[in-house]
């Protein structure tokens, strides 16, 4: 995906076009680029257009640079807020399948846990993984198979857990109901993550990527968003007025007001104390939309405009529905592995989660190349990509052990933020990781998030899930959509992925082979829209004759392998820290280890990297 020629919003981040970017200058402080000591003279033979393009592409702070401490802190919080909407929505959706709709205190612990683990995984990825400024967080690619598993008859929530008056959150029976489901997810995610660890550290990622093109990625990602329409509709339908207001505010901030700056006080050595432009609407539209709607709900609650009767329409828009969950939550909490008990394993869940992990890996490879371009780094070499995918596998293993009910992956919305801020320093992302770990240990922070009224969450879902769907479809820009072959592959994959799971869910007795484990595996796979669409797209795209240009592989490879005007060496960016690379390079056996840097890192072998770079630049995480 060429970020510079595309205008889109993903996860709350709006990507401007080239013309818009000229006026944007810098998302944080407009004077930072003026003082950039790294600027060089442009070749006179290049022309004004080339010079303008280089200025646009050139980051103020490259991957190895460290901004001033105050800017570092600000930008680290900005990345945290950018990922906020995507990360927090995962435990809120998951709570439905875990029978936790009426247990806000446990929901808050899940929120704390996923932020805590995301912070740890971010630190590990930036330090020992791909070493690019790429933030880690939960993935929607795993949500679809997880929810499909939890909707099976043996895991479906008992009817009494849906009634708030019948739920005693401290009773052993209720605790066992949701913890047994969580333990099953934990063990299944941990087993499935072993595949990603092996694929990454063994170097098999290149072999897998050569078979995955835009016609596989497009239906897979699109169906992640489409499969969640029921959850979004239920929450938005609790009060359509509040949900519509929330969605309208997010659209207003992210689309109409994104280029309107707010003057804020700033200080620099040259200008001293002065005002600078801060593009707040572009930085945190989701957070602002939630905050304004939340405030409106609070005012409607204290003036008793909204019904006190739990059976009446609009009651869930009240801010006092969750009771005193904030006062009950502890100030300090420390998530730890096995906090919900000893994990168990379910074969059907493992197979379904593996399908989601394969999709996640393909997307992450594309994220690495996009992040490198935006951060002013050379294209990632094979050993860095292998480490990055392997480290994401370790992240999923940690997420399963800690009990987030989800895995971890690269957040594309934060990659997009690099292009807007022009700050590609990995020190900023590293600090973001520490911030997430710290906030993950503050129990009342997670409790506050659980008190967001249900229709406000519904309004957020309307915008986020719609963007996920569109992000998947955007991959078709690489293909020739005038081709009847491509139209057939995409159309058949999408429509079949909606029809087959819907029919299977209405006729569960059809899948009766006599072997319980096989029935479970088939039920999870065939009711997972993402798997059905992705599998059909993969099979048809690789079996129906078509040229590389027609399939979009030629254009995709060309975009992924663009040479950035980088001022830093590959060794400086991608080698392991603390002198580890220097120690390893003295050993002759290192050249046989796929994830270890070699003695001399030169330009990448194009023929091999073309197979590794086929991944969607846009991701399913919000």
């Amino acid at each position: 995906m060429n970020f510079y020629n595309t205008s889109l919003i993903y996860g709350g981040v709006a990507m401007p076009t080239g013309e818009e970017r000229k006026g944007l200058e810098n998302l944080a402080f407009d004077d930072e680029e003026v003082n950039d000591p790294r600027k060089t003279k442009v070749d006179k033979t290049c022309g004004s257009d080339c010079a303008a393009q280089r200025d646009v592409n050139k980051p103020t702070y490259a991957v190895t640079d460290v901004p001033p401490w105050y800017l570092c802190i600000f930008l680290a919080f900005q990345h945290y807020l950018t990922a906020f909407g995507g990360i927090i929505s995962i435990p809120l959706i998951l709570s439905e399948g875990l029978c936790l709709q009426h247990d806000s205190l446990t929901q808050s612990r899940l929120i704390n846990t996923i932020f805590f683990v995301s912070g740890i995984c971010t630190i590990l990825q930036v330090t020992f993984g791909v070493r690019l400024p790429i933030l880690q967080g939960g993935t929607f690619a795993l949500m679809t198979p997880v929810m499909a598993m939890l909707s099976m008859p043996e895991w479906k929530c008992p009817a009494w857990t849906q009634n708030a008056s019948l739920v005693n959150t401290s009773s052993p029976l209720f605790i066992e109901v949701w913890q047994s489901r969580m333990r099953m997810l934990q063990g299944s995610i941990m087993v499935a993550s072993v595949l990603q660890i092996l694929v990454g550290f063994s170097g098999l990622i290149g072999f897998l990527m050569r078979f995955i093109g835009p016609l596989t990625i497009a239906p897979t990602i699109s169906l992640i968003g489409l499969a969640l329409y029921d959850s979004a509709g239920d929450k938005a339908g609790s009060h359509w007025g509040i949900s519509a207001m929330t969605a309208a505010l997010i659209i207003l901030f992210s689309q109409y007001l994104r280029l309107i700056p707010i003057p804020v006080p700033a200080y620099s050595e040259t200008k001293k104390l002065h005002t600078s432009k801060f593009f707040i609407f572009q930085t945190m539209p989701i957070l602002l939309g939630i905050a304004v709607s939340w405030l409106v709900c609070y005012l409607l609650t204290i003036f008793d405009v909204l019904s006190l009767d739990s059976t009446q329409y609009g009651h869930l828009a009240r801010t006092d529905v969750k009771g005193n969950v904030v006062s009950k939550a502890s100030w300090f909490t420390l998530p730890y592995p096995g906090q919900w008990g000893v994990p168990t394993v379910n074969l059907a869940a493992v197979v379904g989660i593996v399908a989601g992990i394969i999709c996640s890996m393909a997307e992450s490879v594309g994220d690495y190349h996009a992040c490198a371009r935006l951060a002013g780094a050379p294209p990632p070499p094979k050993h860095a990509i292998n480490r990055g995918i392997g480290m994401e596998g370790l992240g999923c293993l940690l997420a399963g052990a800690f009990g987030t009910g989800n895995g971890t992956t690269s957040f594309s919305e934060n990659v997009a933020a690099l292009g807007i801020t022009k700050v590609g320093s990995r020190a900023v992302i590293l600090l973001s990781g520490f911030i997430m770990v710290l906030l993950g240990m503050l129990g009342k922070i997670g409790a506050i998030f659980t008190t967001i009224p249900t229709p406000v969450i519904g309004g957020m879902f309307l915008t986020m899930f719609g963007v996920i769907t569109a992000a998947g479809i955007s991959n078709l820009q690489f293909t020739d959509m005038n081709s009847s072959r491509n139209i057939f592959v995409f159309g058949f994959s999408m429509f079949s992925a909606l029809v087959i799971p819907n029919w299977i869910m209405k006729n569960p007795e059809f899948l009766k082979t006599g072997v319980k484990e096989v029935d479970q595996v088939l039920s999870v796979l065939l009711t997972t829209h993402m798997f059905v669409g992705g599998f059909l797209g993969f099979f048809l795209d690789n079996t129906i004759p078509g040229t590389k240009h027609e399939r979009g592989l030629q254009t995709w490879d060309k975009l992924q392998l663009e040479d950035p005007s980088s001022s830093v060496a590959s060794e400086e960016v991608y080698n392991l820290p603390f002198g580890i690379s220097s120690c390893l390079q003295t050993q002759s056996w290192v050249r046989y280890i796929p994830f270890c840097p070699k003695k001399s890192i030169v330009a990448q072998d194009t023929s091999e990297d073309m197979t590794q770079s086929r991944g969607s630049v846009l991701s399913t995480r919000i």
Side-chain angles (χ1 to χ4, degrees):
M1 169 69 73
N2 190 337
F3 283 100
Y4 302 116
N5 297 328
T6 305
S7 180
L8 58 106
I9 171 174
Y10 190 66
V13 178
M15 295 303 304
T17 61
E19 291 300 319
E20 292 171 339
R21 190 181 295 275
K22 292 178 181 179
L24 185 58
E25 295 184 355
N26 192 300
L27 181 61
F29 297 101
D30 63 347
D31 63 322
E32 291 297 333
E33 187 173 325
V34 177
N35 300 326
D36 182 9
R38 300 173 60 254
K39 287 190 176 293
T40 57
K41 292 184 178 180
V42 179
D43 187 354
K44 293 181 180 179
T45 63
C46 186
S48 59
D49 291 341
C50 182
Q53 183 65 25
R54 289 190 183 182
D55 288 340
V56 166
N57 295 357
K58 189 178 181 65
T60 304
Y61 294 96
V63 59
T64 55
D65 297 333
V66 180
W69 65 268
Y70 59 88
L71 185 59
C72 223
I73 294 174
F74 171 82
L75 291 169
F77 267 104
Q78 177 176 277
H79 276 284
Y80 164 77
L81 295 173
T82 301
F84 166 84
I87 292 178
I88 196 177
S89 60
I90 289 174
L92 293 177
I93 296 174
L94 191 62
S95 63
E96 298 177 10
L98 293 174
C99 321
L100 290 172
Q101 299 97 317
H102 306 297
D103 188 355
S104 300
L105 198 57
T106 301
Q107 289 182 34
S108 71
R109 292 181 64 188
L110 288 178
I111 291 173
N112 283 114
T113 301
I114 195 169
F115 274 111
F116 184 83
V117 174
S118 296
I120 292 176
C121 294
T122 298
I123 295 170
L124 291 175
Q125 185 70 282
V126 174
T127 308
F128 298 105
V130 72
R131 303 221 67 205
L132 287 168
I134 193 163
L135 190 135
Q136 304 293 292
T139 169
F140 278 96
L142 266 60
M143 286 301 297
T144 307
V146 163
M147 296 305 290
M149 184 67 199
L150 293 175
S151 65
M152 293 182 64
E154 55 266 45
W155 295 108
K156 196 170 183 179
C157 292
W160 60 270
T161 62
Q162 312 301 308
N163 191 332
S165 61
L166 299 178
V167 173
N168 179 5
T169 57
S170 60
S171 70
L173 177 60
F174 176 74
I175 292 174
E176 179 59 23
V177 165
W178 74 263
Q179 286 194 356
S180 63
R181 288 159 173 75
M182 175 60 83
R183 291 194 297 268
M184 180 270 294
L185 293 182
Q186 285 185 258
S188 302
I189 290 170
M190 292 173 70
V191 172
S193 68
V194 174
L195 171 69
Q196 188 170 9
I197 295 172
L198 294 176
V199 168
F201 289 126
S202 67
L204 285 176
I205 184 65
F207 174 77
L208 290 176
M209 289 305 102
R210 71 177 63 185
F211 300 107
I212 299 176
L215 287 170
T216 301
I217 293 295
T220 303
I221 299 178
S222 300
L223 289 161
I224 292 173
L226 290 176
L228 295 170
Y229 74 91
D230 198 37
S231 175
D234 287 343
K235 293 185 181 301
S238 60
H239 195 295
W240 279 107
I242 299 297
S243 298
M245 178 182 66
T246 306
L249 286 171
I250 294 175
I251 294 170
L252 175 67
F253 296 146
S254 65
Q255 300 297 319
Y256 294 99
L257 302 181
R258 69 181 189 273
L259 298 181
I260 297 180
I262 302 297
V264 294
Y267 179 83
S268 66
E269 294 182 0
T270 55
K271 293 186 178 181
K272 304 303 180 182
L273 186 63
H274 62 286
T275 59
S276 185
K277 298 176 182 178
F278 175 45
F279 292 81
I280 186 172
F281 300 118
Q282 193 172 51
T283 310
M284 50 192 81
I286 290 180
L287 188 65
L288 288 174
I290 290 175
V292 173
S293 297
W294 200 351
L295 176 61
V296 171
C297 289
Y298 174 72
L299 295 176
L300 295 177
T301 300
I302 62 176
F303 289 110
D304 284 331
V305 176
L306 299 170
S307 176
L308 286 167
D309 187 353
S310 60
T311 63
Q312 295 295 314
Y313 178 80
H315 172 74
L316 293 177
R318 295 182 65 91
T319 55
D320 56 2
V321 170
K322 304 293 178 68
N324 54 352
V325 61
V326 177
S327 60
K328 285 183 179 179
S330 59
W331 279 103
F332 181 81
T333 181
L334 184 62
Y336 59 90
Q339 58 183 329
W340 317 124
V342 180
T344 60
V345 179
N346 183 284
L347 177 61
V350 171
V351 175
I353 291 169
V354 163
I357 283 178
I358 292 174
C359 174
S360 176
M361 286 191 292
E363 296 168 335
S364 293
V365 172
D367 285 338
Y368 298 158
H369 285 270
C371 184
R373 287 201 304 273
L374 296 174
K382 291 184 291 292
H383 68 81
I385 293 177
N386 294 337
R387 280 203 316 271
I389 296 298
M391 197 59 67
E392 287 191 17
L394 287 175
C396 287
L397 186 67
L398 285 176
F402 276 82
T404 65
N406 197 256
T408 60
T409 191
S410 301
F411 255 45
S412 292
E413 49 265 56
N414 289 82
V415 174
L418 300 180
I420 301 174
T421 62
K422 299 183 186 176
V423 176
S425 170
R426 63 183 170 209
V428 171
I429 300 296
L430 190 64
L431 184 57
S432 295
F434 284 108
I435 289 174
M436 286 195 289
V437 169
L438 176 62
L439 294 180
M441 294 190 293
L442 299 178
K444 290 195 181 296
I445 297 294
I448 290 172
F449 291 151
T450 65
T451 63
I452 300 174
T454 300
V456 174
I457 296 172
M460 176 182 70
F461 284 177
L462 288 177
T463 56
M464 292 183 63
F465 296 163
V467 171
I468 292 176
T469 302
I473 295 174
S474 70
N475 287 275
L476 296 177
Q477 68 182 292
F478 300 112
T479 67
D480 178 10
M481 289 312 292
N482 289 319
S483 165
S484 59
R485 171 199 184 272
N486 292 348
I487 292 175
F488 172 78
V489 171
F490 181 70
F492 181 78
S493 301
M494 288 288 290
F495 193 73
S496 298
L498 295 174
V499 172
I500 295 174
N502 182 62
W503 189 86
I504 294 294
M505 284 187 283
K506 290 180 178 179
N507 301 274
E509 69 282 353
F510 177 77
L511 295 175
K512 297 295 181 183
T513 63
V515 182
K516 181 181 177 181
E517 289 75 14
V518 174
D519 292 345
Q520 287 183 338
V521 170
L522 290 176
S523 180
V524 170
L525 291 180
L526 294 178
T527 56
T528 302
H529 303 78
M530 178 191 72
F531 171 78
V532 176
F535 174 78
L536 290 175
F538 171 83
F539 176 78
L540 295 174
D541 188 38
N542 284 279
T543 55
I544 298 177
T547 65
K548 290 188 66 175
H549 173 75
E550 187 180 20
R551 296 172 61 191
L553 302 181
Q554 194 174 58
T555 307
W556 201 345
D557 292 335
K558 180 180 178 182
L559 289 173
Q560 295 287 2
L561 294 175
E562 282 180 343
D563 289 327
S565 54
S566 170
S567 61
V568 289
S570 183
E571 293 89 344
E572 187 180 359
V573 178
Y574 299 109
N575 275 6
L576 291 167
F578 313 123
I580 297 176
S581 290
S582 300
C583 295
L584 290 175
Q585 288 168 1
T586 60
Q587 307 296 322
S588 59
W589 50 266
V590 168
R591 66 178 181 272
Y592 301 110
I593 307 299
F595 56 87
C596 287
K598 308 302 185 291
K599 277 188 178 182
S600 177
I601 301 177
V602 294
Q604 292 172 263
D605 185 350
T606 302
S607 63
E608 291 190 33
D609 273 359
M610 283 172 65
T611 64
Q612 291 198 8
S613 62
R614 291 178 191 155
S616 172
V617 171
L618 297 174
S619 171
T620 61
R621 316 122 203 90
I622 294 188

